[in-house]
Amino acid sequence: MSDSLQRKLVRHAVALAVAGLASLSASGALAQSTGNQASKPAPTQAKAKTAAKPKAQARKAPARKATGASTADKAKAAGAAAGAAAVAAPAASATVTGTSGASAAPSAKPRQADYIVALVNSEPITNNELRARIARAQQQLSQRNVAMPPEDVLRKQVLDLFISERAQVQLAKEMGLQVDQLTLDQAEASVAQQNDLPSTQALHRALRAEGISVQDFRADLQRQILLQRLRERAVEARVKVTDNDIDRFLREQAVQQGVQSVPEVNLAMILIRVPENSSPAEVAKLRERADEADKRAKAGEDFAKLAAEYSQSTNQGRDGGELGLRPVDKYPALFVSATSRLGVGGVTDVVRSDAGFHILKVIERKKGAMPTVTVPQTHARHILLNVSSPSDEASALERLRDIKRRVDAGQADFADMARQYSKDGSAKDGGDLGWANPGQFVPEFEQVMNGLAQGQVSEPLRSRFGLHLIQVLERREQPLSETDQRALARNILRERKMAEEYDVWAQEVRGRAFVEMREAPQ
């Protein structure tokens, strides 16, 4: 292999965790596309229409990869998510651990007598399990050319992470979360694909060649998926992204691209000056004059004429009181605040400043330019079969495999099969999902779709909505609209906040667990 297999497995495990966190940034499967409904399990997400017809199931709000200035920021968000996820789910590597955490790689040192180093809610962590984790951590640090901490420091860090993970696994089991066989098979196939291996059998041979037990590797992968699902359920409800968050993020992106992103506004003003040391009676009289001008302006009289009549600004209102089109941050904060909710033509109430009384009218508004963001889009179609029992799943799998054989052999048309068999809202369109942005589908669907060549039909795969076949029709690079950019920004920010919230949540789970540390036997 051109790259070390265990290094790629590390990348895959982190990517798995990131994909899990990224899936929280938008809900459900297929969002509405060419008339299809959104199917979104999380109530905190975008609206889902209630209609009697079947929903298009596999989409979620746009997210993930983008080129341009957003790409770098997206990478930072993904890195933060990966870091958070890796805390609780150490990546699979050459020393992949099984369910018990035992290492599959031989140790150069003689095996020591085993003993319990910690109890987590009465479940033991043994010295051999811990030593395997430490060996794996040392290997990963070495691969990344990271300076090795002192042995006692590394042991404490690894044990803390191990305890946190064990507490989370226990919580997942208490909540009844499980990983079915088909999902595990799909994850394993994804590992093979990311390692440029033609099949899971080839992956198994490569694992064995590097001394990694396939059974332990699958157990570790299963545990990671279980923890990913737990985090999806536990962290998503904690995260909220406001419109102000999105506006600020887009301005930051525009600045990085050198784009003028600050909105501009042209205001007209009438100023009734209040001289210093004016008596209360004089101030009251000037306020009456300002109120009179404001009332006439709101009644629809020509503002420019009123400015010429009343205003005591530098030009005495001869310019109609216009202050000129300029970025909002170049106006006094008082003016911006007073006019922020007004549309073009709106007139404020009387506003008091140190200079006197102001009446402001919004003459013109211009939005700030959006940064240029280009994303790869995929045009695909799919067939969805619902399953509610193991027997349903077996028959659905066989049907999809038969459809794939017939389509691959040229004996059937994918669109015709979708119209006949698919239980998705897209069935009437031959399963056509339209053009989709990155992150628009749930991770388990998108991961398989992204690995397909144009025209290729996938093997049957499971998502939270059922069993699918996917066929990719076309791919292209496409600039994002303003609406899509805001949706993308929302998901980037959601991933960032989830990474931060994950740390808090993980500490809470650890704090609720009963942990007893044990000393080594003398």
Side-chain angles (χ1 to χ4, degrees):
M1 281 169 280
S2 60
D3 192 7
S4 166
L5 176 64
Q6 60 261 38
R7 187 175 307 206
K8 289 190 176 181
L9 294 180
V10 169
R11 292 188 194 135
H12 169 72
V14 172
L16 254 180
V18 172
L21 286 174
S23 73
L24 305 183
S25 64
S27 60
L30 300 171
Q32 185 170 358
S33 172
T34 61
N36 295 335
Q37 286 194 39
S39 176
K40 303 189 176 184
T44 57
Q45 291 299 328
K47 310 167 211 173
K49 297 182 183 177
T50 55
K53 63 182 181 179
K55 296 178 180 180
Q57 294 169 340
R59 278 191 206 268
K60 60 180 182 176
R64 303 232 298 247
K65 184 172 64 175
T67 59
S70 288
T71 306
D73 212 281
K74 180 69 175 174
K76 294 177 186 175
V87 166
S93 72
T95 53
V96 174
T97 59
T99 305
S100 66
S103 172
S107 173
K109 298 180 180 180
R111 190 175 185 85
Q112 300 177 358
D114 205 6
Y115 59 90
I116 295 173
V117 296
L119 290 174
V120 184
N121 294 323
S122 302
E123 185 177 343
I125 292 176
T126 70
N127 183 51
N128 283 344
E129 290 175 324
L130 179 58
R131 288 175 61 238
R133 292 287 181 106
I134 292 171
R136 181 167 65 190
Q138 290 171 330
Q139 182 183 51
Q140 292 173 1
L141 290 173
S142 177
Q143 288 172 348
R144 298 166 189 170
N145 296 318
V146 177
M148 202 74 65
E151 187 175 344
D152 59 335
V153 173
L154 181 61
R155 177 184 174 87
K156 183 181 184 304
Q157 291 174 343
V158 172
L159 179 57
D160 284 345
L161 297 180
F162 202 165
I163 290 171
S164 181
E165 180 194 301
R166 182 62 58 86
Q168 290 179 40
V169 170
Q170 292 169 353
L171 177 59
K173 291 177 179 177
E174 289 172 11
M175 295 171 63
L177 300 181
Q178 296 179 341
V179 180
D180 60 83
Q181 190 67 31
L182 184 59
T183 298
L184 184 57
D185 290 343
Q186 286 174 209
E188 192 175 38
S190 178
V191 175
Q193 177 188 322
Q194 292 187 18
N195 283 277
D196 300 321
L197 296 170
S199 65
T200 54
Q201 290 76 18
L203 172 65
H204 292 171
R205 288 193 295 272
L207 288 168
R208 294 189 190 100
E210 298 210 14
I212 303 172
S213 161
V214 172
Q215 180 179 357
D216 284 349
F217 173 76
R218 283 175 62 85
D220 194 61
L221 197 57
Q222 184 177 36
R223 184 171 60 252
Q224 292 173 37
I225 297 170
L226 182 68
L227 291 173
Q228 172 187 314
R229 289 182 173 177
L230 172 65
R231 294 173 196 126
E232 287 177 359
R233 180 172 296 189
V235 179
E236 179 173 5
R238 295 170 170 242
V239 174
K240 293 182 180 178
V241 178
T242 67
D243 287 340
N244 285 338
D245 292 334
I246 295 171
D247 291 339
R248 185 165 50 253
F249 174 82
L250 291 174
R251 284 197 296 269
E252 291 170 357
Q253 296 301 300
V255 168
Q256 290 180 22
Q257 288 195 15
V259 176
Q260 171 55 264
S261 67
V262 179
E264 295 179 310
V265 64
N266 182 9
L267 300 178
M269 178 185 70
I270 296 172
L271 170 63
I272 309 297
R273 291 191 178 276
V274 177
E276 291 184 19
N277 303 318
S278 295
S279 68
E282 290 172 330
V283 172
K285 186 175 180 180
L286 292 170
R287 174 63 191 243
E288 287 178 6
R289 180 172 172 78
D291 287 339
E292 179 184 285
D294 188 53
K295 184 177 180 180
R296 292 175 63 183
K298 285 182 176 178
E301 290 193 40
D302 188 289
F303 197 91
K305 289 182 179 179
L306 293 174
E309 179 179 346
Y310 285 93
S311 187
Q312 298 170 314
S313 62
T314 304
N315 293 321
Q316 299 295 314
R318 288 188 296 273
D319 52 5
E322 285 197 30
L323 303 177
L325 184 67
R326 65 182 78 170
V328 292
D329 58 3
K330 300 300 182 183
Y331 274 106
L334 179 67
F335 289 9
V336 175
S337 175
T339 59
S340 63
R341 296 181 181 275
L342 297 179
V344 172
V347 176
T348 68
D349 293 332
V350 176
V351 178
R352 177 68 194 267
S353 75
D354 292 340
F357 297 107
H358 305 262
I359 300 102
L360 301 166
K361 180 178 181 177
V362 178
I363 304 299
E364 180 184 6
R365 285 192 185 277
K366 282 189 176 182
K367 289 185 177 181
M370 297 286 286
T372 302
V373 180
T374 303
V375 296
Q377 291 185 332
T378 301
H379 182 195
R381 55 190 178 188
H382 80 143
I383 297 170
L384 170 68
L385 299 184
N386 299 323
V387 293
S388 56
S389 67
S391 60
D392 284 348
E393 181 167 314
S395 61
L397 270 174
E398 185 52 41
R399 171 161 289 175
L400 290 179
R401 286 169 179 153
D402 181 61
I403 291 172
K404 174 177 168 57
R405 283 194 296 268
R406 292 168 62 190
V407 171
D408 286 345
Q411 299 170 354
D413 179 73
F414 192 100
D416 290 341
M417 294 294 97
R419 293 186 187 97
Q420 184 175 350
Y421 294 108
S422 184
K423 303 304 180 184
D424 183 64
S426 64
K428 66 182 185 303
D429 301 315
D432 197 326
L433 301 174
W435 287 101
N437 294 320
Q440 199 161 321
F441 300 120
V442 291
E444 56 269 30
F445 186 98
E446 183 159 300
Q447 194 170 48
V448 173
M449 182 189 72
N450 288 344
L452 297 175
Q454 189 167 312
Q456 184 180 359
V457 178
S458 72
E459 295 293 336
L461 68 130
R462 172 186 282 281
S463 80
R464 65 197 69 175
F465 303 101
L467 298 177
H468 307 256
L469 280 185
I470 309 171
Q471 185 179 43
V472 169
L473 300 176
E474 304 172 82
R475 299 190 191 277
R476 70 182 183 188
E477 294 285 331
Q478 188 74 3
L480 284 182
S481 67
E482 179 178 343
T483 300
D484 283 345
Q485 283 196 48
R486 292 188 68 84
L488 175 63
R490 182 179 296 277
N491 287 307
I492 292 172
L493 292 171
R494 179 174 291 276
E495 288 180 22
R496 281 184 184 175
K497 291 190 175 186
M498 282 191 298
E500 296 166 358
E501 192 60 44
Y502 166 77
D503 289 336
V504 176
W505 171 80
Q507 291 172 11
E508 291 174 359
V509 174
R510 165 70 184 269
R512 290 194 299 266
F514 171 77
V515 179
E516 179 185 343
M517 309 300 288
R518 296 284 186 89
E519 297 292 334
Q522 302 300 318

